[in-house]
Amino acid sequence: MNICVVGTGYVGLVAGACFAETGNDVFCVDKDEAKIARLNRGEVPIYEPELDDLIARNVKEGRLAFSTDLVAGVQKSNVIFIAVGTPQDEDGSADLSHVLDVAGAIGRAMNGYKIIVDKSTVPVGTADRVGQAVAAQTTHDFHMVSNPEFMKEGSAVNDFLYPDRVVIGANNECVAEVMGELYAPFVRTGNPIIFMDVHSAEITKYAANAFLATKISFMNEIANFCDKVGADVMMVRKGVGSDKRIGPQFLFPGVGYGGSCFPKDVRAFMRTAADQGSPLRILQAVDEINNQQKVIMVEKLRRQFHGDFAGKVIAIWGLSFKPQTDDMREAPAKYIIRSVTHAGATVRAFDPAAMEEACKPYNLKDLIDTGRVKLCENAYDAAEGADALLVVTEWNEFRRPNFERVKGLMREPAVFDCRNLYTPAKIKELGFAYYSIGRDTL
Ligand code: NAD
């Protein structure tokens, strides 16, 4: 098939490369000229395991191309994916301006029948709006499909090639069949392609993310209760998660979820439901707990410093919102760093993948430029002269550091473990003050 993917971010780039890998001719379009220039030089603008090889191989074999030319992409393709961003708008709703811009441009470029697929995460009813925006610009026939994406950053290629399920929302049988053929190579092990109507598919994506976010906030709230009564949330987690009806995943307490999806999707889902007069009350609590959770470690730190951050040096291990990605959108590390530097501390930070990302204006550029945050060579370098070490992202390389060495480097041996990576008794035995989530007695 000839496919055009509009938007070469985390989703569009991975989807485009994976569709090419199964033999399709894929034309990836983005309005960001610098990004397309990098891709055409053979550079991959994001950190995502396995993506570099996949792109290089498919470009070499002539199945994958990158361009800013949307008209060319639309005209040579039968299936066009919209995979542009849907960031949070001021009122919490999803900002659909990028999606609708692309819809209009597709309409203007059309030279015949097309299948237009919403891959971006969008509120129920958006495919109808996209369809109207396309129809306003063309007399050619087309069909709309909703095909939400469930990949996880950090394992996006693997998730796309071997999905748990594929959701196709199509109100036309022939179109559903074409989409089924396109995805058939990814579900050879028998995982389902679930066909449904367009509206149900749009809701499925938000409901899935909202449920996962709910699990996280639930466990975080239980963790805070454990702190109050001197229980161990990690034991509670095991006891709860071994029930097959509940399952062990997404029950890890921490400093709250972040990233480009859960925070904005929970809020957008709430907004849409409220607008329809059917408020999702449970999600209100999920969002509130998540916001509060980021504050908890800063408060533990404040107690350690008797309320005075002035002159304190804080080492931060991990900047990305989770391991195996460089994505810092809504990363808890950003909130923590802003809070402690605002209170008078300076930060020495290290992340295995997100150092370049950290320097961007929407991340930590201002604090780096003014010397409040120093980016360090490695984890040990970050610990040098620190009064506290906060482990914010659970990268593998932070799991078993040489703590004797860390202690020798720090001014005060205090570890604040935002992911419960370490065994409290062992680390305290080494002479560290140690704080974690749901295992401290407050
Ligand atoms: P992203 O910000 O990484 O990439 C979006 C890309 O779209 C950018 O490169 C941008 O330049 C491009 N773009 C914007 N407007 C354009 C236009 N008019 N023409 C051409 N290109 C344009 O976003 P992402 O993380 O890939 O997310 C895309 C969508 O997929 C969002 O709706 C998101 O919620 C959803 N999603 C994301 C993930 C994830 O893990 N990142 C997972 C599932 C679903």
Side-chain angles (χ1 to χ4, degrees), residues 9-11 30-31 35 84 86 121 149 153 261 264 329:
Y10 288 85
V11 168
D30 205 291
K31 67 175 181 182
K35 199 180 255 189
V84 297
T86 46
T121 302
E149 181 50 54
E153 286 177 23
C261 291
K264 79 168 173 65
R329 286 178 279 188

Side-chain angles (χ1 to χ4, degrees), residues 377-398:
E377 292 285 307
N378 56 45
Y380 295 106
D381 184 19
E384 195 158 350
D387 298 288
L389 164 62
L390 257 81
V391 186
V392 186
T393 317
E394 66 277 35
W395 283 92
N396 268 341
E397 67 177 84
F398 302 149

Side-chain angles (χ1 to χ4, degrees), residues 11 27-28 47 107 159 163 198 257 351 356 369 380 396 412 421 425:
V11 168
F27 198 78
C28 286
Y47 175 88
D159 290 347
V198 170
Y257 56 77
D351 186 282
E356 191 183 327
D369 287 350
Y380 295 106
N396 268 341
E412 289 292 332
L421 298 186

Side-chain angles (χ1 to χ4, degrees), residues 145-161:
V145 170
S146 166
N147 168 220
E149 181 50 54
F150 298 97
M151 66 171 63
K152 304 178 287 298
E153 286 177 23
S155 58
V157 171
N158 194 62
D159 290 347
F160 201 94
L161 293 176

